[in-house]
């Protein structure tokens, strides 16, 4: 477990409060019939940060905020696989955080305990407006009526490709047209492409393929790059989250437009998942029969799900070393790739994951098969929330800080430059050295994004995806050699839907 715990609270530090804050505090206290519990005297407000990636950067940002305002801010950053217990302890302590990290999986707990402020009721008009600007599909809510958080950032995933490999497969003058046409291509065109690339890897020859109706011929002779390919996809069969959560989320997007929609689904709506999940199983069959190994294709069977031969790290290594054309992952993988092969960093981009959906499979209003297959999922992993149980003064100061962080020149620069986060309200002025981030930004600006309904699946994000869908796939399908059938696709879908119902209803 990777633990990075930081506490920048400096006991005994001398602090001053700006005159405006003193006036605010006096007016708040004088308006109460009985005096509120007094805030801690050695800091003005406290931030509990559950995202270790930005721990050092947040310290620096808060230092600048302290210098600008004269306030003293306590920051505690804890990064673990599960920081929920530490947060619960802090929320029940004598010095509760005024701002804390949470997500769609934790919001119900804090809403039921009355510990999270609905930003629809924020007293600061700027924060209220900021919260209202969060797109509905990205809002932190229990049932869709609340708006509990300000996003830390946006993350997303798709098929990562090194465009140099595309260049060497189809020619330099075809690289950008290929990328454009791939986005608009149908699933059937994608499936034909995958099989053709597999043939090219095996024999050095394959028929031309069509994407978006346009023909692409393979380069006659393999290059140094394409000679390294051993498969089309770098798969992580040992990691159920990579196909249970990520790929499962693709199917869920056909029925649910958000995590809240999935969490509040009726039994009839869950039944509508059967067709998309069967189509997902067909797609996973394609991926797993065209998987790359270190020296040749990775075959389904025990080695496909073994943590030493098919882990997340192994899949990233295979892609980074040019063994696979595609890696299905998110922009969070960038630092891992950077450690392995800096040469490919400038030429990485995202391409959309496609499913063989029909329009009758899609239940989300306004979503078409064409839009689905040209879009990538983008979502908020963590939110800043305000503790409704701290003093009114601390709540006001917390609101002012979140406004500053997300609207001021200094705050927005910190999000992009120091945190290296994509702001949820990103515009075309934001550019990163990280090309995966830039790719996600372009999908967002183009309006070609899907949501994160898997986070609203039963028992919180990871359970259904990993312990239901993921376990079905890993234990009974990936673990055996041999072909899958159309009946297998239906069985996977039926059992995954029943598993959802068994937990939820």
């Amino acid at each position: 477990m990777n633990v990075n715990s930081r506490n920048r609270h400096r006991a005994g530090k001398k602090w001053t409060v700006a005159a405006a804050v003193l006036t605010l505090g006096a007016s708040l206290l004088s308006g109460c019939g009985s005096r509120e519990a007094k805030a801690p005297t050695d800091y003005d407000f406290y931030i509990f940060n559950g995202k270790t990636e930005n721990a050092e950067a947040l310290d620096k940002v808060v230092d600048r905020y302290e210098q600008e305002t004269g306030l003293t801010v306590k920051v505690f950053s804890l990064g673990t696989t599960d920081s929920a217990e530490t947060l619960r302890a802090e929320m029940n302590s004598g010095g509760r955080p005024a701002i804390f990290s949470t997500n769609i999986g934790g919001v119900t707990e804090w809403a039921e305990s009355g510990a999270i402020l609905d930003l629809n009721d924020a007293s600061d008009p700027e924060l209220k407006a900021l919260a209202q600007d969060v797109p509905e599909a990205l809002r932190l809510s229990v049932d869709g009526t609340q708006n509990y958080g300000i996003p830390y950032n946006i993350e997303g995933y798709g098929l990562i490709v090194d465009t140099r490999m595309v260049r060497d497969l189809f020619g330099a003058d075809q690289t950008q047209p290929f990328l454009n046409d791939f986005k608009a291509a149908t699933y059937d065109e994608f499936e034909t492409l995958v099989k053709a690339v597999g043939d090219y890897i095996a024999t050095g020859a394959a028929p031309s393929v069509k994407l978006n109706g346009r023909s692409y011929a393979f380069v006659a002779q393999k290059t140094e790059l394409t000679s390294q390919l051993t498969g089309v996809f770098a798969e992580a069969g040992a990691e159920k989250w990579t196909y249970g959560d990520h790929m499962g989320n693709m199917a869920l997007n056909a029925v649910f437009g958000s995590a809240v929609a999935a969490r509040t689904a009726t039994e009839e709506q869950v039944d509508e998942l059967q067709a998309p999940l069967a189509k997902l199983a067909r797609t996973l069959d394609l991926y797993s029969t065209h998987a790359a190994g270190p020296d040749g294709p990775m075959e389904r069977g025990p080695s496909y799900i073994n943590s030493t031969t098919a882990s997340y790290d192994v899949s990233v290594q295979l892609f980074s070393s040019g063994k696979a054309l595609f890696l299905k992952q998110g922009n969070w993988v960038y630092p891992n790739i950077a450690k392995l092969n800096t040469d490919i960093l400038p030429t990485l981009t995202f391409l959309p994951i496609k499913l063989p959906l029909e329009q009758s499979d899609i239940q989300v209003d306004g979503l078409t098969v064409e839009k689905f297959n040209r879009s990538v999922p983008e979502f908020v992993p963590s939110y800043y929330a305000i503790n409704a149980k701290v003093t009114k003064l601390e709540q006001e100061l917390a609101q002012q800080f979140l406004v500053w962080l997300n609207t001021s020149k200094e705050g927005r620069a910190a999000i992009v430059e120091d945190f290296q986060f994509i702001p949820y309200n990103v515009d075309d002025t934001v550019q990163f050295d990280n090309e995966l981030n830039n790719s996600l930004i372009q999908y967002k600006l183009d309006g070609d994004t899907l949501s994160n309904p898997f986070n609203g699946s039963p028992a919180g994000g990871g359970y259904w995806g990993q312990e239901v869908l993921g376990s079905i796939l890993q234990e009974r399908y990936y673990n055996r050699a041999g072909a899958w059938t159309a009946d297998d696709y239906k069985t996977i879908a039926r059992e995954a839907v029943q598993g959802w119902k068994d937990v939820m209803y």
Side-chain angles (χ1 to χ4, degrees):
M1 181 168 63
N2 177 25
V3 179
N4 181 3
S5 180
R6 297 174 56 84
N7 187 339
R8 64 179 299 283
H9 172 218
R10 296 176 291 274
K13 176 183 173 183
K14 185 177 180 181
W15 56 275
T16 61
V17 180
V21 176
L22 285 172
T23 303
L24 172 63
S27 64
L28 287 170
L29 293 174
S30 64
C32 299
S34 60
R35 191 175 183 85
E36 291 187 22
K38 190 177 180 181
T41 57
D42 52 354
Y43 56 84
D44 295 299
F45 67 98
Y46 165 18
I47 301 171
F48 181 98
N49 173 40
K51 203 166 180 68
T52 185
E53 299 97 307
N54 71 328
E56 292 186 10
L58 183 60
D59 283 353
K60 294 176 182 177
V61 169
V62 167
D63 281 341
R64 291 201 292 270
Y65 188 70
E66 289 179 327
Q67 292 168 13
E68 183 175 317
T69 63
L71 299 171
T72 295
V73 184
K74 171 182 174 179
V75 180
F76 181 79
S77 290
L78 176 69
T80 70
T81 53
D82 182 7
S83 60
E85 288 302 320
T86 304
L87 177 56
R88 288 188 188 104
E90 290 297 284
M91 293 288 277
N92 289 302
S93 70
R96 302 183 180 102
I99 296 173
F100 63 96
S101 303
T102 190
N103 53 34
I104 194 70
V107 66
T108 300
E109 175 181 352
W110 305 121
E112 289 178 350
S113 68
I116 190 168
L117 179 69
D118 187 345
L119 302 184
N120 290 321
D121 302 322
S123 57
D124 188 310
E126 288 186 89
L127 183 66
K128 192 172 184 178
L130 199 64
Q132 290 171 347
D133 283 342
V134 178
E136 190 170 339
L138 298 180
R139 290 185 181 179
L140 182 64
S141 183
V142 173
D143 61 18
T145 62
Q146 312 90 358
N147 192 355
Y148 283 126
I150 299 297
Y152 267 58
N153 64 317
I154 290 173
E155 292 182 350
Y157 63 91
L159 295 175
I160 301 173
V161 65
D162 176 3
T163 57
R164 298 178 310 163
M165 194 70 80
V166 174
R167 175 201 67 197
D168 283 15
L169 284 170
F170 299 103
D173 62 337
Q174 298 298 305
T175 304
Q176 193 57 51
F178 175 95
L179 298 174
N180 294 339
D181 284 330
F182 185 104
K183 292 177 182 179
T186 66
Y187 178 85
D188 287 342
E189 289 176 323
F190 166 71
E191 187 175 82
T192 300
L193 168 70
V194 169
K195 293 177 179 178
V197 173
D199 290 342
Y200 186 79
I201 292 169
T203 68
S208 63
V209 295
K210 285 190 175 180
L211 295 174
N212 195 27
R214 190 171 185 270
S215 184
Y216 289 88
F218 286 87
V219 171
Q221 297 292 326
K222 288 186 179 181
T223 67
E224 183 179 352
L225 272 179
T226 56
S227 295
Q228 299 176 64
L229 289 169
T230 62
V232 183
F233 302 97
E235 291 288 279
E239 312 279 0
K240 290 184 284 188
W241 61 274
T242 65
Y243 43 89
D245 286 351
H246 285 176
M247 294 299 285
N249 187 55
M250 297 301 299
L252 268 56
N253 264 284
V255 176
F256 306 121
S258 68
V260 171
R263 184 163 55 196
T264 58
T266 64
E267 195 166 352
E268 291 73 22
Q269 287 175 312
V270 175
D271 281 331
E272 291 171 339
L273 287 171
Q274 295 219 29
L277 284 169
K279 305 291 176 64
L280 170 67
R282 173 182 160 186
T283 306
L284 294 173
D285 188 9
L286 178 72
Y287 282 31
S288 56
T289 51
H290 292 83
D295 302 307
M298 172 69 75
E299 304 288 347
R300 288 194 300 231
S303 63
Y304 192 90
I305 62 170
N306 190 295
S307 60
T308 61
T309 56
S311 67
Y312 165 79
D313 289 339
V314 169
S315 68
V316 177
Q317 174 69 55
L318 289 170
F319 175 77
S320 300
S321 60
K323 302 292 186 180
L325 177 60
F326 299 123
L327 171 67
K328 192 278 303 156
Q329 271 299 339
N331 58 322
W332 52 81
V333 79
Y334 187 88
N336 301 84
I337 296 175
K339 292 175 184 176
L340 297 167
N341 186 356
T342 57
D343 290 344
I344 67 174
L345 297 178
T347 52
L348 297 177
T349 195
F350 279 111
L351 292 173
I353 297 167
K354 299 177 187 288
L355 298 186
L357 298 173
E358 299 173 41
Q359 194 59 47
S360 60
D361 300 327
I362 296 179
Q363 309 301 322
V364 176
D365 288 343
L367 183 61
T368 64
V369 171
E370 293 75 21
K371 179 173 173 57
F372 183 100
N373 279 329
R374 69 171 186 263
S375 299
V376 300
E378 296 191 11
F379 50 90
V380 176
S382 296
Y383 295 80
Y384 296 104
I386 292 179
N387 190 346
K389 292 192 173 182
V390 297
T391 67
K392 294 297 183 183
L393 175 57
E394 288 172 283
Q395 291 181 42
E396 291 289 341
L397 296 178
Q399 292 180 52
Q400 291 168 15
F401 174 78
L402 291 180
V403 169
W404 177 87
L405 181 63
N406 287 278
T407 64
S408 72
K409 181 179 178 181
E410 297 85 352
R412 284 181 62 82
I415 291 172
V416 174
E417 296 169 11
D418 298 332
F419 297 176
Q420 287 289 299
F421 285 170
I422 302 174
Y424 77 94
N425 51 358
V426 67
D427 57 32
D428 59 7
T429 66
V430 176
Q431 285 289 308
F432 290 86
D433 292 334
N434 179 334
E435 288 302 328
L436 292 181
N437 281 359
N438 293 334
S439 182
L440 289 180
I441 290 171
Q442 193 57 55
Y443 279 100
K444 187 175 190 301
L445 295 177
D446 290 342
D448 290 334
T449 62
L450 300 171
S451 188
N452 64 326
F454 84 97
N455 277 332
S457 61
Y463 179 80
W464 177 82
Q466 295 181 50
E467 302 311 318
V468 178
L469 176 59
S471 291
I472 292 168
L473 289 163
Q474 187 180 83
E475 295 168 10
R476 291 166 45 200
Y477 292 92
Y478 288 149
N479 194 31
R480 64 175 171 83
W484 299 0
T485 67
D487 285 341
D488 288 329
Y489 304 158
K490 292 176 183 177
T491 298
I492 291 167
R494 183 177 62 252
E495 293 186 0
V497 167
Q498 187 58 51
W500 184 302
K501 291 179 179 180
D502 289 344
V503 178
M504 179 167 277
Y505 303 113

